[in-house]
Amino acid sequence: MAGSSFGNIFKITTWGESHGKGIGVVVDGVPAGVELSEADLQPFLNRRKPGQSRFSTPRSEDDQVEILSGVFEGKTTGTPISLVVYNKTQRSSDYSEIASYYRPGHADYTFDMKYGFRDYRGGGRSSGRETTARVAAGAIAIKVLNSLGIEVHAYTKAIGDVEISEDNFNPEEIFNNMLYMPDADAAKRAEKLIDEKRSQTDSVGGVVECVVTGLMSGVGEPVFEKLNANLAKAIVSIGAVKAFEIGDGVKAARAFGSENNDAFKADEDGNIVKETNHSGGVLGGISDGSALLLRAYFKPTPSIYKTQNTVNKKGENITINIKGRHDPIIVPRAVVVVESMTAITVLDLLLVSMTSNIEKIKQFFDR
Amino acid sequence: MAGSSFGNIFKITTWGESHGKGIGVVVDGVPAGVELSEADLQPFLNRRKPGQSRFSTPRSEDDQVEILSGVFEGKTTGTPISLVVYNKTQRSSDYSEIASYYRPGHADYTFDMKYGFRDYRGGGRSSGRETTARVAAGAIAIKVLNSLGIEVHAYTKAIGDVEISEDNFNPEEIFNNMLYMPDADAAKRAEKLIDEKRSQTDSVGGVVECVVTGLMSGVGEPVFEKLNANLAKAIVSIGAVKAFEIGDGVKAARAFGSENNDAFKADEDGNIVKETNHSGGVLGGISDGSALLLRAYFKPTPSIYKTQNTVNKKGENITINIKGRHDPIIVPRAVVVVESMTAITVLDLLLVSMTSNIEKIKQFFDR
Amino acid sequence: MAGSSFGNIFKITTWGESHGKGIGVVVDGVPAGVELSEADLQPFLNRRKPGQSRFSTPRSEDDQVEILSGVFEGKTTGTPISLVVYNKTQRSSDYSEIASYYRPGHADYTFDMKYGFRDYRGGGRSSGRETTARVAAGAIAIKVLNSLGIEVHAYTKAIGDVEISEDNFNPEEIFNNMLYMPDADAAKRAEKLIDEKRSQTDSVGGVVECVVTGLMSGVGEPVFEKLNANLAKAIVSIGAVKAFEIGDGVKAARAFGSENNDAFKADEDGNIVKETNHSGGVLGGISDGSALLLRAYFKPTPSIYKTQNTVNKKGENITINIKGRHDPIIVPRAVVVVESMTAITVLDLLLVSMTSNIEKIKQFFDR
Amino acid sequence: MAGSSFGNIFKITTWGESHGKGIGVVVDGVPAGVELSEADLQPFLNRRKPGQSRFSTPRSEDDQVEILSGVFEGKTTGTPISLVVYNKTQRSSDYSEIASYYRPGHADYTFDMKYGFRDYRGGGRSSGRETTARVAAGAIAIKVLNSLGIEVHAYTKAIGDVEISEDNFNPEEIFNNMLYMPDADAAKRAEKLIDEKRSQTDSVGGVVECVVTGLMSGVGEPVFEKLNANLAKAIVSIGAVKAFEIGDGVKAARAFGSENNDAFKADEDGNIVKETNHSGGVLGGISDGSALLLRAYFKPTPSIYKTQNTVNKKGENITINIKGRHDPIIVPRAVVVVESMTAITVLDLLLVSMTSNIEKIKQFFDR
């Protein structure tokens, strides 16, 4: 089935494989009149692309994004924006061996079961390279959200068992270290952990946290198109994500009602606010005006150099050593992917929320 | 926006409020030829309905489900199956006071912000009673899955900090205790915890786990309609769920690649199987033939008798004591809801997966 | 597949069979705050129901509509509105014979091929009675459109070869004759034609025209969700419709560019208007501010008393005489169905069109 | 809103403007294992591209299609196929004047009303050039249908008032004349008409007919996703189409039931067939095993050299003479577009129809 589209009003459709001609996305439903150029998008792609630090694969992918449609005289026209990143440096030779067997933790086996065969070069469509398209589209969503006063920021919350400390939280630190951690101390310890595990031909997982500020209340549609439900789908659709949390998440299950409820209060300006934000910005699936707060849990990179047991396509038990160049951790590069999927989801439901109330519709159409 | 539908090929559309005339669901896309009667559905509704134990609200809801369409001579016809559960015993008088203020942890405030006003009787559409429709639809999905040799089972994994022990896991125990826990010891301790918290006018959260066995490989559509991504949306759309896990979930983020990868092997019959199941039955968003394993984390019931701070509709700070009858914990009643949403999602993507491969399509149409 | 839903933001999901327990529809995405009661809907259902004149089946269907959800204190709440019309007077005995054979012009054969069997009572789901749900939902759409200053009106344009005359067009006449024709003369001739054909145990087809006035420009989404494209789907989805026209329709194919182009001009108030309306109110798939004008062509009722050749389920050639009570023409009852489907489509795309322009979005959210 | 996608299981998403960098389409949901290369697609694009005859614009568009993804080792992989046709020869200078006014019969005015401004170069997104993407996608759909024994063929049925004669119908003639008419005589008369009208600085409309043979019964989903309803949307979404017919179409409205009903019979092999095909291959919205037969009515090209009245963007009444090179008729180039949209629709619903019957599903999964 067509599974490469996401969203209702603001909808993205991605395509491309790791070692094909390129990766792309059609971003449809972008409101007309937004100033947009490649320069708005490239910084987001640069955050995702490999080779930026010693903690990502030394493959050098020259991820230059190109706008092919939907922008005229510097502004979006309301028609679909086609974005492409051509693959320039992939060498298929590195991957020829993996055609014959199923790598543990990868989609090799399930693609063969589903489709009868697979593009085995670098994982084909199941490669993490697919997220390039999400980031390109997310950059547009973030630009639109920013113009409405809404900010979306993600960062690394944990790597393995190294977690940032609330006491040491410094947003300015995020872009100061190669791991996008807002805690310089934790970043150092995490770097050490990654170095250690890499030297052991192993890999590490971690956690990305994303915060949306400035979001008005009223976004999200009960009962299946809730804001949190769509965010869960958006985040879990990212390869390697094994858990999703909103607000207190897993911890909420151990809390008592009196602890977990966020009391409402009128602030000094008479605005209704919450005293705490255990809910993570959503009540009944609708944004509540507080900061939206979510977390994505990533498994460790499945591509490791260690010898592993598996089967080949003939069904024979074999041992393998995966060659090639791989990230010992994908979390730092995934930060901007989480940010992108969050922005895409929020923008889509924000546009949808314009239709909730007949009085506001009458005003909109001046009728 | 229309947010009350879920699914593509197998699609449910729910309606109804806590204190309206009833709760219902249109189940569309059910394959023709499945034997079905109300007797297949009622046991599922009975597991959800309140008043079953001292741990659920003493409200007696007589949740009799009625099939209004789509079944003829005892079989599904392929046309939409309309199910209704009429509300019989709701008394609106219990809820008149809450019209004037915003209950912490509830959707009162966000509904008002979104829609301009709300049906305040028992939470209206945001009431947990909405899940009645999910369960009625889920019972149909489970019937269809069973006919294909697929089983879906959920149970309570934890209540507050009381967790079941793997050593003590006994599936037969699930229906022996009022909490649907497969560990008799844990169930006793959990009952004690709930009693204690209720006496303190407080409430408790918990965790539901769901297992799907017998599922073939190949179900799930990269890259956005992945099986795990749709399950995440399905589960997080259930009111009070704050986190979703597949397989090792949160723990995977602390594991190393060598620990988290599931080795493939050929079993004695030559079938390709996995030695472990850290992935929870999904690789690359596609079912891998292992058991599907997911978890839903529920926050504690927001309706507590304790005095709470909040604001009224005028924006004045007030303190409230919520009256009425409420569950000190919703987890036991939510078990069948998790089971239902899982089944609905799996069946939808299973049907979708029939279209993946041209050779199988040719065989199907005998061409 | 789930085929019983229509619309994106404003979405209807229908259910029910001719001789089942009832016919219903879930109307989701209705903006909150619209005054609504059964009294708003019943007049529309009365226009559709049989037994209103000697030109419709003498079956007496007591089509009382009931609102089951989504309305509170006289206003829509923004949550799904469930409507039901219980079947009260159907007698299955009339239809038992047709279980064994395939009626020409009906869906008996195709339902058996698709689903393996069928609910043969009165056509089951393929009965014209299914349109009851469309009309109930359409009445809500019309109510919302009216509140925005938009009117939707349909009438009978032709019955067999009897067509209304533009010179004789009188909108007030529509409700004065039993055929909903805005031309008293044509109505008389049409009545004569129907009487004649009925006495010959035959049936007649006809044309319904629908006009939407007061619609603002900007509604419709290029390139597949065009206003005219969605109207085409909406209208052709009505049973017995064999052709759809917008504006000059079929005639446009014989016109020359200089005749068919509608010149723009500034009217006395400086508003941009069209001098003619060959386009039928749509340019490039987007409403152009002129009246929307469409036509639905209905085939003659397939149920006739004349002896017909067909096959039975065993594949034997037989001759049949269909019993029961049937409309010699369905067009008059279909007028309100065309009106309903038009309104549903227009409202959906009107809501969608709110998201086209970033400046208007900023204004909407006051940002 | 995102309006550039069409289809459910087999889904296309198009992008691109007349004078932008290119035109493209993402074709998602193509079953894996279909042999495919650019050589399969190019012949379809060549039928659509201009400059093929003196009846189409002398603009020379070098419409070379490129496959960017979804094909590996000569076969479709089941993942999205991205197709692009780069614009090479567009000269924007020809169109600069039209930025200031609204051309009659074009979408200039409605795009400005909807989006606030427009890409005025050659009509931008509303250009007929957009159909390039439909044809590229349609070529894939046709390839898949052919592999299932299903043929899709369209041709010109009429140009202006010159209609093909059934007596003179010769399918081999279709590719022998520049108008794609299966009647050599009619083609000559039509050519004369076009020459005449072009010399008068005017343009002509016409009719395209499309036939699908080999389609099994059972395709189409009651009640809104009927095969004919989706075909109506597909066809009317093509720019310049003003009417859609299935089977007898408009004529059915003047027929009597005894004439219009298609009698079933058992043929010599015992297969159930219809004696006639007034229905055009659809009963109750489901394919009935007969040939599918539909018609698209195209208005005359709105771009004519004749002087026309219109308004400029300031709202002043002006007269204009549109410059540039335009087709005096678009029908011949639209033939392959109708064929493409028909194939896309049929394939999508054919795949969907696999899920209708539980016994066939059990067989498919061998359970």
Side-chain angles (χ1 to χ4, degrees):
Chain A
M1 184 185 78
S4 295
S5 295
F6 186 82
N8 299 282
I9 292 292
F10 180 88
K11 176 156 66 178
I12 70 170
T13 302
T14 74
W15 56 268
E17 294 90 24
S18 174
H19 285 59
K21 290 192 178 171
I23 295 280
V25 58
V26 182
V27 188
D28 200 6
V30 185
V34 180
E35 290 188 10
L36 193 77
S37 74
E38 276 102 351
D40 293 307
L41 312 179
Q42 196 59 47
F44 289 84
L45 290 161
N46 291 348
R47 285 167 61 194
R48 197 215 71 91
K49 80 174 178 186
Q52 300 301 92
S53 81
R54 76 177 192 277
F55 302 116
S56 72
T57 164
R59 288 191 314 266
S60 138
E61 299 174 9
D62 184 16
D63 286 353
Q64 286 299 118
V65 67
E66 194 181 343
I67 298 175
L68 296 180
S69 69
V71 176
F72 181 60
E73 297 184 341
K75 287 189 176 175
T76 59
T77 61
T79 63
I81 299 174
S82 178
L83 304 175
V84 65
V85 173
Y86 283 105
N87 290 336
K88 292 187 176 156
T89 55
Q90 275 67 19
R91 287 175 297 171
S92 293
S93 55
D94 294 343
Y95 294 94
S96 54
E97 188 184 307
I98 66 169
S100 66
Y101 58 72
Y102 298 127
R103 291 172 297 165
H106 278 282
D108 302 343
Y109 175 71
T110 53
F111 266 62
D112 265 18
M113 290 300 104
K114 183 176 188 69
Y115 298 116
F117 78 118
R118 71 183 190 280
D119 179 348
Y120 49 76
R121 300 166 303 166
R125 180 71 175 152
S126 73
S127 165
R129 185 149 175 76
E130 162 261 316
T131 58
T132 308
R134 302 177 186 236
V135 172
I140 296 179
I142 289 169
K143 183 97 201 251
V144 178
L145 288 174
N146 289 350
S147 80
L148 293 164
I150 299 160
E151 300 282 326
V152 186
H153 294 293
Y155 47 82
T156 301
K157 185 181 172 62
I159 285 184
D161 60 356
V162 179
E163 198 163 325
I164 59 169
S165 148
E166 297 234 352
D167 298 339
N168 219 14
F169 191 101
N170 178 4
E172 291 175 14
E173 187 59 33
I174 296 173
F175 291 91
N176 282 346
N177 63 77
M178 290 177 287
L179 301 175
Y180 298 102
M181 287 185 111
D183 171 344
D185 262 15
K188 271 181 213 149
R189 280 178 290 132
E191 290 179 12
K192 203 173 151 195
L193 173 67
I194 299 170
D195 282 337
E196 181 190 318
K197 285 294 149 186
R198 183 166 43 184
S199 71
Q200 296 167 4
T201 62
D202 215 333
S203 63
V204 192
V207 186
V208 175
E209 189 162 73
C210 187
V211 187
V212 182
T213 53
L215 183 63
M216 60 289 286
S217 186
V219 175
E221 304 294 314
V223 296
F224 296 115
E225 300 296 340
K226 287 174 174 170
L227 180 53
N228 41 337
N230 275 292
L231 286 168
K233 181 177 180 178
I235 296 303
V236 177
S237 78
I238 303 170
V241 172
K242 302 304 288 181
F244 167 84
E245 291 185 318
I246 187 115
D248 281 5
V250 159
K251 277 187 210 157
R254 291 190 172 217
F256 306 118
S258 60
E259 298 166 338
N260 186 69
N261 282 350
D262 299 313
F264 290 102
K265 68 169 181 184
D267 72 7
E268 48 268 40
D269 300 325
N271 297 318
I272 295 175
V273 296
K274 286 156 53 196
E275 291 190 2
T276 51
N277 189 18
H278 298 292
S279 78
V282 185
L283 283 170
I286 303 169
S287 62
D288 65 13
S290 306
L292 205 62
L293 188 68
L294 61 87
R295 256 158 262 113
Y297 288 77
F298 286 85
K299 70 176 185 182
T301 322
S303 286
I304 54 174
Y305 296 107
K306 241 187 233 306
T307 302
Q308 296 183 91
N309 294 324
T310 191
V311 294
N312 61 21
K313 289 184 77 168
K314 298 177 199 155
E316 298 163 340
N317 289 314
I318 58 171
T319 61
I320 60 165
N321 287 81
I322 300 175
K323 299 190 187 75
R325 294 162 296 175
H326 306 290
D327 294 347
I329 178 148
I330 57 171
V331 167
R333 293 177 58 199
V335 168
V336 69
V337 181
V338 170
E339 201 171 292
S340 294
M341 291 307 297
T342 300
I344 289 164
T345 308
V346 168
L347 176 57
D348 184 35
L349 287 173
L350 178 147
L351 294 173
V352 159
S353 78
M354 296 174 71
T355 64
S356 301
N357 187 313
I358 192 68
E359 294 310 321
K360 291 188 183 172
I361 296 168
K362 284 182 190 171
Q363 278 173 36
F364 181 91
F365 286 113
D366 198 19
R367 298 217 166 177
Chain B
M1 182 186 78
S4 295
S5 296
F6 185 83
N8 299 281
I9 293 292
F10 180 87
K11 177 157 63 177
I12 70 170
T13 301
T14 73
W15 57 267
E17 295 91 24
S18 175
H19 286 59
K21 290 191 178 172
I23 296 281
V25 58
V26 182
V27 189
D28 200 5
V30 185
V34 180
E35 291 187 11
L36 193 77
S37 74
E38 275 103 352
D40 293 307
L41 313 178
Q42 196 59 46
F44 290 84
L45 289 161
N46 291 347
R47 285 167 62 195
R48 197 214 70 90
K49 80 176 179 187
Q52 300 301 91
S53 80
R54 75 176 193 279
F55 302 115
S56 71
T57 164
R59 290 190 313 265
S60 140
E61 299 174 9
D62 184 17
D63 285 353
Q64 287 298 120
V65 66
E66 194 181 345
I67 298 175
L68 296 179
S69 69
V71 176
F72 180 59
E73 297 183 340
K75 287 189 177 175
T76 59
T77 61
T79 63
I81 300 174
S82 178
L83 304 175
V84 65
V85 173
Y86 284 104
N87 291 335
K88 291 186 176 157
T89 55
Q90 274 67 19
R91 287 176 298 172
S92 293
S93 53
D94 294 341
Y95 294 94
S96 54
E97 188 184 307
I98 66 170
S100 66
Y101 58 72
Y102 298 128
R103 291 172 299 164
H106 278 282
D108 302 344
Y109 174 71
T110 52
F111 266 62
D112 265 18
M113 288 301 103
K114 184 176 188 69
Y115 298 117
F117 78 118
R118 72 184 190 278
D119 178 349
Y120 48 77
R121 300 166 304 165
R125 179 72 177 152
S126 73
S127 164
R129 186 151 176 71
E130 162 261 316
T131 58
T132 307
R134 302 177 185 236
V135 172
I140 295 178
I142 289 169
K143 184 95 201 252
V144 178
L145 288 174
N146 288 350
S147 79
L148 293 164
I150 299 160
E151 300 281 326
V152 186
H153 294 292
Y155 46 82
T156 301
K157 185 181 171 61
I159 284 184
D161 59 357
V162 180
E163 198 164 325
I164 60 169
S165 149
E166 296 235 351
D167 300 338
N168 219 15
F169 191 101
N170 178 5
E172 292 176 14
E173 186 59 32
I174 295 173
F175 290 92
N176 282 345
N177 63 76
M178 290 177 287
L179 300 176
Y180 298 102
M181 288 185 111
D183 172 343
D185 262 15
K188 271 180 213 148
R189 280 179 289 132
E191 290 179 13
K192 205 174 149 194
L193 173 68
I194 300 170
D195 281 337
E196 181 192 317
K197 283 297 149 184
R198 182 166 43 187
S199 71
Q200 296 167 4
T201 64
D202 215 331
S203 63
V204 191
V207 186
V208 175
E209 190 161 73
C210 187
V211 186
V212 181
T213 53
L215 184 62
M216 59 290 285
S217 185
V219 176
E221 305 293 315
V223 296
F224 296 116
E225 299 296 339
K226 288 175 174 169
L227 179 53
N228 41 337
N230 275 293
L231 286 168
K233 181 176 179 179
I235 296 303
V236 177
S237 78
I238 303 170
V241 172
K242 302 304 288 182
F244 167 85
E245 291 185 319
I246 187 115
D248 281 6
V250 159
K251 277 185 208 159
R254 292 190 171 216
F256 306 118
S258 59
E259 299 165 337
N260 187 68
N261 282 351
D262 299 313
F264 290 102
K265 67 169 180 184
D267 71 7
E268 48 267 39
D269 301 323
N271 298 318
I272 296 175
V273 296
K274 286 156 51 196
E275 290 190 3
T276 51
N277 190 19
H278 298 292
S279 78
V282 186
L283 283 170
I286 302 170
S287 62
D288 65 13
S290 305
L292 205 63
L293 188 67
L294 62 85
R295 256 158 262 112
Y297 288 78
F298 286 84
K299 71 176 185 182
T301 322
S303 286
I304 53 175
Y305 297 107
K306 243 187 233 305
T307 302
Q308 296 183 89
N309 294 325
T310 192
V311 294
N312 60 21
K313 290 184 74 168
K314 297 178 202 159
E316 299 163 339
N317 289 315
I318 58 172
T319 61
I320 60 166
N321 287 79
I322 300 175
K323 298 190 189 74
R325 293 162 299 173
H326 307 289
D327 293 349
I329 178 146
I330 57 169
V331 168
R333 293 177 59 198
V335 168
V336 70
V337 181
V338 170
E339 202 172 293
S340 295
M341 291 308 298
T342 300
I344 289 164
T345 308
V346 169
L347 176 56
D348 184 34
L349 287 172
L350 179 148
L351 294 173
V352 158
S353 77
M354 296 174 72
T355 65
S356 300
N357 187 313
I358 191 69
E359 295 311 319
K360 291 188 183 172
I361 296 168
K362 284 182 191 171
Q363 279 173 36
F364 181 90
F365 285 113
D366 198 19
R367 299 215 165 177
Chain C
M1 182 186 79
S4 294
S5 295
F6 186 82
N8 299 283
I9 292 293
F10 180 87
K11 176 156 65 177
I12 69 171
T13 301
T14 73
W15 56 269
E17 294 91 23
S18 175
H19 285 58
K21 290 191 178 171
I23 296 280
V25 59
V26 182
V27 188
D28 199 7
V30 185
V34 180
E35 291 188 10
L36 193 78
S37 74
E38 276 103 351
D40 293 307
L41 312 178
Q42 197 59 47
F44 289 83
L45 290 161
N46 291 348
R47 285 167 62 195
R48 199 214 69 91
K49 80 176 178 184
Q52 299 302 92
S53 80
R54 75 176 192 280
F55 302 116
S56 72
T57 165
R59 289 192 314 265
S60 139
E61 299 174 8
D62 184 16
D63 286 352
Q64 288 298 120
V65 67
E66 193 181 344
I67 297 174
L68 296 180
S69 69
V71 176
F72 181 60
E73 296 183 341
K75 288 190 175 174
T76 59
T77 61
T79 63
I81 300 174
S82 178
L83 303 175
V84 65
V85 173
Y86 283 105
N87 290 336
K88 292 187 177 156
T89 56
Q90 275 67 19
R91 287 176 298 171
S92 293
S93 54
D94 292 342
Y95 293 95
S96 55
E97 190 185 306
I98 66 168
S100 66
Y101 59 71
Y102 298 127
R103 291 172 298 164
H106 277 284
D108 302 344
Y109 175 69
T110 51
F111 266 62
D112 264 19
M113 289 301 102
K114 184 177 188 69
Y115 299 116
F117 78 117
R118 72 183 190 278
D119 179 348
Y120 48 77
R121 300 166 304 164
R125 180 72 176 150
S126 72
S127 164
R129 186 153 175 71
E130 163 261 315
T131 58
T132 307
R134 301 178 187 236
V135 172
I140 295 178
I142 289 169
K143 185 96 201 252
V144 178
L145 288 174
N146 288 351
S147 80
L148 293 164
I150 299 161
E151 300 282 326
V152 186
H153 294 292
Y155 45 83
T156 302
K157 184 181 172 64
I159 284 184
D161 59 357
V162 179
E163 199 164 322
I164 59 168
S165 149
E166 296 235 351
D167 299 340
N168 219 15
F169 191 101
N170 179 3
E172 292 176 12
E173 187 59 31
I174 296 172
F175 291 91
N176 282 345
N177 62 76
M178 290 176 289
L179 301 176
Y180 297 103
M181 289 185 109
D183 171 343
D185 262 15
K188 271 180 210 149
R189 282 179 289 132
E191 290 179 11
K192 205 173 149 194
L193 173 68
I194 300 170
D195 281 338
E196 183 190 316
K197 285 296 149 185
R198 180 165 47 184
S199 72
Q200 296 168 3
T201 62
D202 215 333
S203 64
V204 192
V207 186
V208 174
E209 191 162 74
C210 187
V211 187
V212 181
T213 54
L215 184 62
M216 59 292 284
S217 186
V219 176
E221 304 295 314
V223 297
F224 296 115
E225 300 296 340
K226 288 175 173 170
L227 180 53
N228 40 338
N230 276 294
L231 286 167
K233 181 176 182 179
I235 297 303
V236 177
S237 78
I238 303 170
V241 171
K242 302 303 288 181
F244 166 84
E245 291 184 320
I246 187 116
D248 282 6
V250 160
K251 277 186 208 158
R254 291 189 171 217
F256 305 120
S258 59
E259 299 166 339
N260 186 68
N261 281 351
D262 299 313
F264 289 102
K265 67 169 181 184
D267 72 7
E268 50 266 40
D269 301 325
N271 297 318
I272 295 176
V273 295
K274 285 156 51 195
E275 290 190 1
T276 51
N277 190 17
H278 298 292
S279 78
V282 184
L283 283 169
I286 302 169
S287 63
D288 65 13
S290 305
L292 204 62
L293 189 67
L294 62 87
R295 257 159 261 112
Y297 289 77
F298 286 85
K299 71 177 185 181
T301 322
S303 286
I304 54 174
Y305 296 107
K306 242 188 234 305
T307 302
Q308 296 184 90
N309 294 324
T310 192
V311 294
N312 61 22
K313 290 184 74 167
K314 297 177 200 157
E316 299 163 338
N317 289 313
I318 58 170
T319 61
I320 60 164
N321 287 80
I322 300 175
K323 299 191 189 75
R325 293 163 298 174
H326 305 290
D327 294 347
I329 178 147
I330 56 169
V331 169
R333 294 176 58 198
V335 168
V336 69
V337 181
V338 170
E339 202 171 291
S340 295
M341 290 307 298
T342 300
I344 289 163
T345 308
V346 168
L347 176 56
D348 184 35
L349 287 172
L350 179 148
L351 295 173
V352 158
S353 78
M354 296 174 71
T355 63
S356 301
N357 188 313
I358 191 69
E359 294 310 320
K360 291 188 182 173
I361 297 168
K362 284 183 192 169
Q363 278 173 38
F364 181 92
F365 286 112
D366 198 19
R367 294 210 171 184
Chain D
M1 182 186 76
S4 294
S5 296
F6 185 82
N8 299 282
I9 293 292
F10 180 87
K11 175 156 65 176
I12 70 171
T13 301
T14 74
W15 56 269
E17 295 90 24
S18 175
H19 286 58
K21 292 190 177 171
I23 295 281
V25 58
V26 182
V27 188
D28 200 7
V30 185
V34 180
E35 290 187 10
L36 194 77
S37 74
E38 276 102 351
D40 292 308
L41 312 178
Q42 196 59 47
F44 289 84
L45 290 161
N46 290 348
R47 285 167 63 194
R48 198 214 70 90
K49 81 177 179 186
Q52 299 303 90
S53 81
R54 75 175 194 277
F55 302 115
S56 72
T57 165
R59 289 193 312 266
S60 138
E61 299 174 9
D62 184 16
D63 286 353
Q64 287 298 119
V65 67
E66 194 182 344
I67 297 175
L68 297 179
S69 68
V71 177
F72 181 60
E73 297 182 342
K75 288 190 175 174
T76 59
T77 61
T79 62
I81 300 175
S82 178
L83 304 175
V84 66
V85 174
Y86 283 105
N87 291 336
K88 292 188 175 157
T89 56
Q90 275 66 22
R91 288 176 297 172
S92 292
S93 54
D94 292 343
Y95 294 93
S96 55
E97 189 184 308
I98 66 169
S100 66
Y101 59 73
Y102 298 127
R103 290 171 298 164
H106 277 283
D108 302 343
Y109 175 70
T110 52
F111 266 63
D112 264 19
M113 289 301 103
K114 183 175 189 69
Y115 298 115
F117 78 118
R118 72 183 190 279
D119 178 349
Y120 48 77
R121 301 166 302 163
R125 180 74 178 149
S126 73
S127 165
R129 185 151 176 74
E130 162 261 316
T131 58
T132 307
R134 300 177 187 236
V135 171
I140 296 178
I142 289 169
K143 183 97 201 251
V144 179
L145 288 174
N146 288 351
S147 80
L148 293 164
I150 299 161
E151 300 282 326
V152 186
H153 294 293
Y155 45 83
T156 301
K157 185 182 171 63
I159 285 185
D161 59 358
V162 180
E163 198 163 322
I164 60 168
S165 149
E166 296 234 351
D167 298 340
N168 219 15
F169 191 102
N170 179 3
E172 292 175 13
E173 187 59 32
I174 295 172
F175 290 92
N176 282 345
N177 64 75
M178 290 176 289
L179 301 176
Y180 298 103
M181 287 185 112
D183 172 344
D185 263 15
K188 272 180 211 150
R189 281 179 287 132
E191 290 179 11
K192 206 174 146 192
L193 173 68
I194 300 171
D195 281 337
E196 183 190 316
K197 283 296 148 185
R198 182 167 43 184
S199 71
Q200 295 168 4
T201 62
D202 215 333
S203 63
V204 193
V207 186
V208 175
E209 190 161 74
C210 187
V211 186
V212 182
T213 53
L215 183 62
M216 61 290 285
S217 185
V219 175
E221 304 295 315
V223 297
F224 296 116
E225 300 296 339
K226 287 175 174 169
L227 179 53
N228 41 337
N230 275 293
L231 286 168
K233 181 176 180 178
I235 297 302
V236 177
S237 78
I238 303 170
V241 172
K242 303 303 288 182
F244 167 84
E245 290 184 319
I246 186 117
D248 281 6
V250 159
K251 277 187 207 157
R254 289 188 171 220
F256 305 118
S258 59
E259 298 166 340
N260 186 70
N261 281 350
D262 299 313
F264 290 102
K265 67 170 180 184
D267 71 8
E268 48 267 39
D269 301 325
N271 297 318
I272 295 176
V273 296
K274 286 156 52 195
E275 291 190 0
T276 52
N277 190 18
H278 298 292
S279 78
V282 184
L283 283 170
I286 303 168
S287 63
D288 65 13
S290 306
L292 205 62
L293 189 69
L294 61 85
R295 256 158 263 113
Y297 288 77
F298 286 84
K299 71 176 186 183
T301 321
S303 284
I304 55 175
Y305 295 106
K306 243 188 233 305
T307 302
Q308 297 184 89
N309 294 324
T310 192
V311 294
N312 60 22
K313 290 184 74 167
K314 296 177 201 158
E316 299 163 340
N317 289 314
I318 59 171
T319 61
I320 60 164
N321 287 80
I322 300 175
K323 298 193 189 72
R325 293 162 298 173
H326 306 290
D327 295 347
I329 177 147
I330 56 168
V331 169
R333 293 178 58 199
V335 168
V336 69
V337 181
V338 170
E339 204 171 291
S340 295
M341 291 308 297
T342 300
I344 289 164
T345 309
V346 168
L347 177 56
D348 184 35
L349 287 172
L350 180 147
L351 295 173
V352 158
S353 78
M354 296 174 72
T355 65
S356 300
N357 187 311
I358 190 68
E359 294 310 320
K360 292 187 182 171
I361 296 167
K362 284 182 191 171
Q363 278 172 37
F364 181 91
F365 286 112
D366 198 20
R367 297 215 167 179

